[in-house]
Structures are given as structure tokens and as C-alpha cells.
Amino acid sequence: MSLEVRDLTKSFHALKVLDRVTLTFEAGKAYCLMSPSGSGKTTLFRILLGLERADGGEVRGIQGKRFGVVFQEDRLCEAFTPLENVLMTAARGITRENARRELCRLLPEESVDRPVATLSGGMKRRTSICRALLAPSDMVLMDEPFTGLDEDMRLQVIGYIREKTEGKMLILSTHDPEDVKLLGARLVRLKPVSRIMETGTEN
């Protein structure tokens, strides 16, 4: 089932962030949302997640759907280990051993049982990504997930995301056009105070 955004508007006091945004996301497809900072990407995500209420317009196809989410902030429990953070939200059937094995694909094995507070920013980011991808979900939203990752790790994480979101809807915000190709995604450009959403496909 597709996700439809129709004439979505949102302002914060005198600042209009979204202006009649209309867009359709198809089930099972990957999308990269690109726009200058402050153009409403995070606000759009928060509306989709029910964390903000739009001033006007509607969203269709979202009722009853489960989301795996990577926010701009890592939002981890700092006193807990990466393994404990992942297990708190993991899908039913994912055992402790499963979760450890998945984390070790993105993190050094010795970091999996250390408190998150002792990890680097890049390790925290990878933990957040793993947590989102192992949670039960119909759709995955990622808000600039590659922040703090070097080039080699970014490529590794992109491959992991592609594997874990196969057959799911993925909407990911980024500032790097190369991510569109690497993810096999469709490009969506959101302009500041947007009246038109430009959509294209990169192969």
C-alpha cells in the first residue's frame, strides 16, 4: 500500500516550513529525500510519525503501520550497551545471539557490551541504525543516518540498509546525491517553502 501526502502544510509561528507538499511513496520502494537544511525534511518525518500535527493537508496509508526510525539524534540509552539498546525494540523472534551477530556486522565485537556512553559518535550512529532495522516495521524512516561515518563505513552501512529494507518502504534524508545511486533509491527534492515536490529515479 502506498503512502500519500496531500497538500501538507506546517508553520512554526511566522516561519512556514511546508507549503502544500504533495507526494506519493510506493510500497516496497526506497526514496532519498534531499533539500537544503531547514527545508522541512525533519518536520515531514515528524508528521508521518505523529510527533507533529500538520496545519493542513492529510497523510493517507499510514494508519496501523509500524516504523523503524533513525532520528537525527541517536536517542540511545547511554547507560545501556548497544546489545541492550537493540533488544529493547527488537522484533519478536530476534534472540540475544541474533542481535549480537547483527551488531557485530557494524561494530567492533568488543564494543557490543560496553555502555553506549563510552562509544564514539560513529559507533552510536551505527547502533541506532541497527536498532531501527531490527525493530518490527512496515516502513523505515532515516533522518540523515550517515552523520559521523567515514566513507568506508558509510558504504558498509548502506549495504546493510539495502539488505534489511528489501521489500519495505524506505524514506531516507541525505545531502549526498551519491546515496541515491548506492541505495538504488528514487530521488525526492523538497524545496524551501515548497509548492512543488520534484520526483525522479536514479538507477
PDB file of all heavy atoms in Angstrom, residues 28-40:
ATOM      1  N   GLY A  28       7.342  -0.852  -0.729  1.00  0.00           N
ATOM      2  CA  GLY A  28       8.478  -1.653  -1.160  1.00  0.00           C
ATOM      3  C   GLY A  28       9.564  -0.904  -1.882  1.00  0.00           C
ATOM      4  O   GLY A  28      10.545  -1.516  -2.332  1.00  0.00           O
ATOM      5  N   LYS A  29       9.473   0.418  -1.998  1.00  0.00           N
ATOM      6  CA  LYS A  29      10.451   1.220  -2.712  1.00  0.00           C
ATOM      7  C   LYS A  29      11.307   2.037  -1.745  1.00  0.00           C
ATOM      8  O   LYS A  29      10.886   2.332  -0.620  1.00  0.00           O
ATOM      9  CB  LYS A  29       9.763   2.171  -3.691  1.00  0.00           C
ATOM     10  CG  LYS A  29       8.859   1.494  -4.709  1.00  0.00           C
ATOM     11  CD  LYS A  29       9.646   0.646  -5.688  1.00  0.00           C
ATOM     12  CE  LYS A  29       8.735   0.059  -6.766  1.00  0.00           C
ATOM     13  NZ  LYS A  29       9.485  -0.804  -7.714  1.00  0.00           N
ATOM     14  N   ALA A  30      12.496   2.417  -2.211  1.00  0.00           N
ATOM     15  CA  ALA A  30      13.398   3.251  -1.417  1.00  0.00           C
ATOM     16  C   ALA A  30      13.412   4.660  -2.000  1.00  0.00           C
ATOM     17  O   ALA A  30      13.430   4.836  -3.220  1.00  0.00           O
ATOM     18  CB  ALA A  30      14.805   2.666  -1.422  1.00  0.00           C
ATOM     19  N   TYR A  31      13.425   5.646  -1.109  1.00  0.00           N
ATOM     20  CA  TYR A  31      13.417   7.056  -1.512  1.00  0.00           C
ATOM     21  C   TYR A  31      14.487   7.816  -0.736  1.00  0.00           C
ATOM     22  O   TYR A  31      14.663   7.597   0.467  1.00  0.00           O
ATOM     23  CB  TYR A  31      12.050   7.699  -1.217  1.00  0.00           C
ATOM     24  CG  TYR A  31      10.917   7.093  -2.007  1.00  0.00           C
ATOM     25  CD1 TYR A  31      10.267   5.947  -1.545  1.00  0.00           C
ATOM     26  CD2 TYR A  31      10.503   7.636  -3.211  1.00  0.00           C
ATOM     27  CE1 TYR A  31       9.230   5.373  -2.264  1.00  0.00           C
ATOM     28  CE2 TYR A  31       9.463   7.069  -3.939  1.00  0.00           C
ATOM     29  CZ  TYR A  31       8.837   5.941  -3.465  1.00  0.00           C
ATOM     30  OH  TYR A  31       7.814   5.372  -4.186  1.00  0.00           O
ATOM     31  N   CYS A  32      15.184   8.711  -1.425  1.00  0.00           N
ATOM     32  CA  CYS A  32      16.101   9.642  -0.786  1.00  0.00           C
ATOM     33  C   CYS A  32      15.498  11.037  -0.870  1.00  0.00           C
ATOM     34  O   CYS A  32      15.227  11.544  -1.965  1.00  0.00           O
ATOM     35  CB  CYS A  32      17.465   9.628  -1.456  1.00  0.00           C
ATOM     36  SG  CYS A  32      18.518   8.253  -0.951  1.00  0.00           S
ATOM     37  N   LEU A  33      15.292  11.630   0.275  1.00  0.00           N
ATOM     38  CA  LEU A  33      14.731  12.969   0.371  1.00  0.00           C
ATOM     39  C   LEU A  33      15.885  13.954   0.517  1.00  0.00           C
ATOM     40  O   LEU A  33      16.665  13.869   1.470  1.00  0.00           O
ATOM     41  CB  LEU A  33      13.804  13.043   1.581  1.00  0.00           C
ATOM     42  CG  LEU A  33      12.993  14.316   1.806  1.00  0.00           C
ATOM     43  CD1 LEU A  33      12.049  14.577   0.642  1.00  0.00           C
ATOM     44  CD2 LEU A  33      12.217  14.217   3.113  1.00  0.00           C
ATOM     45  N   MET A  34      15.998  14.875  -0.460  1.00  0.00           N
ATOM     46  CA  MET A  34      17.093  15.831  -0.453  1.00  0.00           C
ATOM     47  C   MET A  34      16.557  17.252  -0.532  1.00  0.00           C
ATOM     48  O   MET A  34      15.634  17.529  -1.289  1.00  0.00           O
ATOM     49  CB  MET A  34      18.047  15.583  -1.624  1.00  0.00           C
ATOM     50  CG  MET A  34      18.811  14.283  -1.543  1.00  0.00           C
ATOM     51  SD  MET A  34      20.018  14.108  -2.882  1.00  0.00           S
ATOM     52  CE  MET A  34      21.121  15.477  -2.469  1.00  0.00           C
ATOM     53  N   SER A  35      17.160  18.126   0.252  1.00  0.00           N
ATOM     54  CA  SER A  35      16.813  19.546   0.224  1.00  0.00           C
ATOM     55  C   SER A  35      17.797  20.281   1.105  1.00  0.00           C
ATOM     56  O   SER A  35      18.465  19.670   1.941  1.00  0.00           O
ATOM     57  CB  SER A  35      15.380  19.777   0.727  1.00  0.00           C
ATOM     58  OG  SER A  35      15.274  19.436   2.090  1.00  0.00           O
ATOM     59  N   PRO A  36      17.906  21.598   0.944  1.00  0.00           N
ATOM     60  CA  PRO A  36      18.783  22.365   1.842  1.00  0.00           C
ATOM     61  C   PRO A  36      18.309  22.245   3.282  1.00  0.00           C
ATOM     62  O   PRO A  36      17.144  21.969   3.553  1.00  0.00           O
ATOM     63  CB  PRO A  36      18.624  23.809   1.324  1.00  0.00           C
ATOM     64  CG  PRO A  36      18.135  23.673  -0.082  1.00  0.00           C
ATOM     65  CD  PRO A  36      17.288  22.442  -0.096  1.00  0.00           C
ATOM     66  N   SER A  37      19.228  22.463   4.213  1.00  0.00           N
ATOM     67  CA  SER A  37      18.865  22.443   5.630  1.00  0.00           C
ATOM     68  C   SER A  37      17.762  23.462   5.895  1.00  0.00           C
ATOM     69  O   SER A  37      17.754  24.553   5.330  1.00  0.00           O
ATOM     70  CB  SER A  37      20.084  22.776   6.490  1.00  0.00           C
ATOM     71  OG  SER A  37      21.075  21.782   6.356  1.00  0.00           O
ATOM     72  N   GLY A  38      16.810  23.085   6.739  1.00  0.00           N
ATOM     73  CA  GLY A  38      15.714  23.981   7.068  1.00  0.00           C
ATOM     74  C   GLY A  38      14.554  23.942   6.104  1.00  0.00           C
ATOM     75  O   GLY A  38      13.635  24.754   6.186  1.00  0.00           O
ATOM     76  N   SER A  39      14.574  22.956   5.190  1.00  0.00           N
ATOM     77  CA  SER A  39      13.520  22.884   4.173  1.00  0.00           C
ATOM     78  C   SER A  39      12.351  22.001   4.566  1.00  0.00           C
ATOM     79  O   SER A  39      11.433  21.804   3.768  1.00  0.00           O
ATOM     80  CB  SER A  39      14.107  22.383   2.843  1.00  0.00           C
ATOM     81  OG  SER A  39      15.132  23.234   2.398  1.00  0.00           O
ATOM     82  N   GLY A  40      12.386  21.435   5.762  1.00  0.00           N
ATOM     83  CA  GLY A  40      11.220  20.707   6.238  1.00  0.00           C
ATOM     84  C   GLY A  40      11.322  19.206   6.230  1.00  0.00           C
ATOM     85  O   GLY A  40      10.328  18.515   6.503  1.00  0.00           O
TER      86      GLY A  40
END
